[in-house]
Amino acid sequence: MTKDDILRLLTISKSAFVSGEKLALKLNITRAAVWKHIKALEQEGYEIEAVPSKGYRLMSIPDAINLRDIEAAVKTKMIGRKVHLLAEVESTNSAAVEMAAAGAPEGTIVAAEVQTGGKGRLGRTWISPKGNLYLSVILRPKIAPNKAPLVTLMGAVAVVSAIRKQTEVHAQIKWPNDIFSGERKIGGLLTEMRAEPDQVRHIVLGIGLNVNMNAASLPPAVASLATTLSAETGSPVNRTGLLVEIASELDRWYQTFLKNDAEILRAWEAMNMTIGRQVTVSSANETIQGTAEAIDHDGRLVIRTIDGALQAVAAGDVTLVKRGTDTETL
Ligand code: BT5
């Protein structure tokens, strides 16, 4: 879509002006058509400065996620064919779990501008102010429950791919459910499942991603370990575009997962920051220390403990021992 192409070109050039002539030439349209698209973008809340001798430059982007743009841009087979966008909800995961139980189709996305009771794992809180992305996807894979952790890994691969495509941030995955930029947490995934003993009924894949919020709105203890995409790039990130990209990457990686889950593991390995590191993993009943050696075919983390034995953990919190020290941790 030409309007989106103009937006992309203005975004790439950051605070520099792009001439109407250059935009017209690049997109093979008239300068009058460029002007019309600029006006349309302004209508949607983009603030664009126009200076006759210089051209156009993007001053700010609208603050709201735009459902109409999402619906126009989503070209996926399944994920995001239906998007519910809420101004505020307790938790998009809880809302999606209810919708899934009531029969909502696979691929449905529930997204919200604000969560009042965003959930992390094990009853923890996901702090969810304005300016970020909070979304949950309903999936109905025909898999055994022990394969469900792979859906979290699949989701992480899709989110990291989308971030890398839409921004210059080199996001990475920390096992099992964290998205990091450098040494700070930028997002997290929460997978909730309903299953019979031998078959999953539905899975809700929840994604929280810090995008444009003011990081100062986090409590200090969390803020010192967290970051946002806009803090990393130095400019605001288009949340609508990012949400569409996440839907499209999820669509692609979910199909890959259903065909051949080993491919997910390979992609995950290439994007992860856990394997090869000294780790401490705490789960409900144990704490294991050692070197993270691999993930196995069920997505469990395989650790070589100090005494040389290999141990696989299915869930837990990983602390990475900072390289070059044995005390500082992330
Ligand atoms: C997670 O849990 O990282 C999973 C987060 C999933 C959130 C999404 S948002 C959409 C969907 N709906 C929901 O209700 N949830 C999902 P966990 O690994 O347990 O990490 C939680 C910990 O991360 C907290 O205890 C804090 O220390 C930290 N934290 C909380 N909010 C944060 C934020 N906005 N940015 C970075 N770290 C945060």
Side-chain angles (χ1 to χ4, degrees):
M1 228 165 93
T2 318
K3 180 163 61 88
D4 294 337
D5 293 332
I6 290 180
L7 190 56
R8 191 171 40 78
L9 292 170
L10 291 180
T11 308
I12 291 170
S13 71
K14 297 216 164 120
S15 55
F17 280 96
V18 188
S19 73
E21 193 178 352
K22 188 171 168 191
L23 290 172
L25 257 168
K26 278 215 159 175
L27 302 173
N28 201 19
I29 55 175
T30 64
R31 287 175 64 175
V34 168
W35 185 81
K36 251 177 66 187
H37 288 303
I38 295 276
K39 288 289 142 203
L41 285 168
E42 284 177 344
Q43 284 286 314
E44 288 171 21
Y46 292 91
E47 206 187 325
I48 297 165
E49 187 183 9
V51 175
S53 56
K54 294 182 178 167
Y56 303 101
R57 74 172 167 169
L58 186 59
M59 305 300 287
S60 71
I61 60 176
D63 192 37
I65 301 172
N66 188 322
L67 185 59
R68 201 167 39 77
D69 280 4
I70 293 172
E71 284 168 351
V74 165
K75 303 266 185 296
T76 55
K77 276 209 191 77
M78 179 199 285
I79 312 286
R81 302 303 312 171
K82 179 74 201 152
V83 179
H84 299 272
L85 178 61
L86 312 167
E88 188 178 293
V89 70
E90 189 176 331
S91 151
T92 57
N93 258 39
S94 304
V97 164
E98 266 181 37
M99 286 184 199
E106 183 168 34
T108 299
I109 291 182
V110 184
E113 289 282 0
V114 168
Q115 292 185 120
T116 53
K119 298 188 292 187
R121 292 175 304 149
L122 305 168
R124 290 188 286 236
T125 300
W126 187 253
I127 301 163
S128 310
K130 247 174 68 181
N132 295 332
L133 283 181
Y134 311 106
L135 63 137
S136 301
V137 189
I138 296 173
L139 299 172
R140 301 183 188 282
K142 292 192 171 48
I143 55 170
N146 68 309
K147 289 284 178 188
L150 292 178
V151 173
T152 308
L153 303 193
M154 181 284 296
V157 166
V159 171
V160 163
S161 306
I163 294 173
R164 290 185 185 177
K165 278 193 175 172
Q166 286 282 312
T167 73
E168 284 153 22
V169 175
H170 187 72
Q172 286 185 300
I173 308 165
K174 179 170 160 254
W175 187 91
N177 69 319
D178 287 341
I179 311 291
F180 266 61
S181 171
E183 311 217 316
R184 285 166 181 259
K185 184 159 168 168
I186 202 155
L189 288 91
L190 176 68
T191 311
E192 295 186 73
M193 161 173 83
R194 180 98 168 263
E196 315 297 343
D198 55 354
Q199 161 115 26
V200 165
R201 216 192 270 177
H202 58 247
I203 289 180
V204 167
L205 175 65
I207 299 164
L209 200 53
N210 297 338
V211 187
N212 295 327
M213 77 166 164
N214 183 352
S217 55
L218 295 174
V222 178
S224 62
L225 302 171
T227 186
T228 67
L229 288 174
S230 64
E232 296 296 294
T233 57
S235 49
V237 171
N238 178 338
R239 286 184 299 147
T240 302
L242 187 56
L243 199 152
V244 169
E245 193 74 59
I246 290 174
S248 134
E249 288 297 312
L250 276 173
D251 202 59
R252 177 160 83 91
W253 287 106
Y254 184 54
Q255 296 306 325
T256 304
F257 166 72
L258 294 177
K259 274 190 220 121
N260 176 12
D261 56 23
E263 249 185 80
I264 298 297
L265 297 176
R266 279 199 295 275
W268 186 94
E269 277 162 4
M271 295 176 182
N272 98 92
M273 59 186 284
T274 309
I275 308 296
R277 298 282 298 262
Q278 290 290 111
V279 295
T280 304
V281 185
S282 352
S283 57
N285 39 18
E286 57 185 352
T287 298
I288 305 167
Q289 277 185 313
T291 308
E293 247 188 39
I295 41 167
D296 71 10
H297 54 271
D298 288 338
R300 295 180 303 176
L301 188 65
V302 180
I303 298 156
R304 171 98 43 201
T305 56
I306 323 258
D307 60 9
L310 285 177
Q311 210 170 329
V313 272
D317 284 309
V318 173
T319 309
L320 302 177
V321 177
K322 229 177 187 175
R323 291 182 216 273
T325 72
D326 56 2
T327 49
E328 269 191 275
T329 53
L330 322 163

